[in-house]
Amino acid sequence: MTTDRKSPTIRTSRTNVQVLAWCSANALITTVHHVYGAVIYGTPGRYHAVLAAALLLALDVAAYAWARRPAGDDAVARVAWWIHWSVSLVGFVLSFGLFEGLYTHVLSPLLQGGYVTPGQPFDLFFEATGVLHVLPAAVTALLLVRLLRERGQAVTA
């Protein structure tokens, strides 16, 4: 782990960048999935997820950038880092990964008897991109745990 700032209390690592990369992948999957769904099912309400993903990603990147600023208050940088961590967890792991991916596109269809139900259209690409949310969310979750460990080691060092 390297120190990006003059103060030893704020440390960042390559793991932070990996978190942002996987969150970006999830935002991209969300965009493709919801735009495609809005078009094929004629449900423009799905576009709201694209806006949510873009805003969450912008907040995540801005918070991380603020945490890395070379000058400024260490307390503000710590808060910014926790915002980065929390947005990654709540927005991309829990909301898009667990709810949108795992619950909506894996568990719910299985609990309802399968993906093909009479009277409802089925689209393989739509369902596959829905399930795909789980992958970047799972990787992000593992990276967030690693970040907590790195942060704990940095504080005790």
Side-chain angles (χ1 to χ4, degrees), residues 96-156:
F96 291 125
L98 287 181
F99 183 74
E100 172 64 16
L102 187 61
Y103 175 74
T104 304
H105 291 281
V106 177
L107 297 178
S108 182
L110 292 177
L111 293 173
Q112 295 176 13
Y115 285 95
V116 181
T117 55
Q120 289 189 340
F122 175 80
D123 187 274
L124 181 61
F125 182 78
F126 179 75
E127 293 302 330
T129 56
V131 171
L132 190 57
H133 283 91
V134 176
L135 175 65
V139 174
T140 302
L142 293 173
L143 290 169
L144 290 173
V145 170
R146 183 187 301 170
L147 276 180
L148 288 179
R149 288 186 183 139
E150 290 175 1
R151 190 145 184 97
Q153 291 169 357
V155 169
T156 58

Side-chain angles (χ1 to χ4, degrees), residues 49-61:
V50 176
L51 179 60
L55 292 174
L56 283 169
L57 188 60
L59 176 60
D60 205 359
V61 169

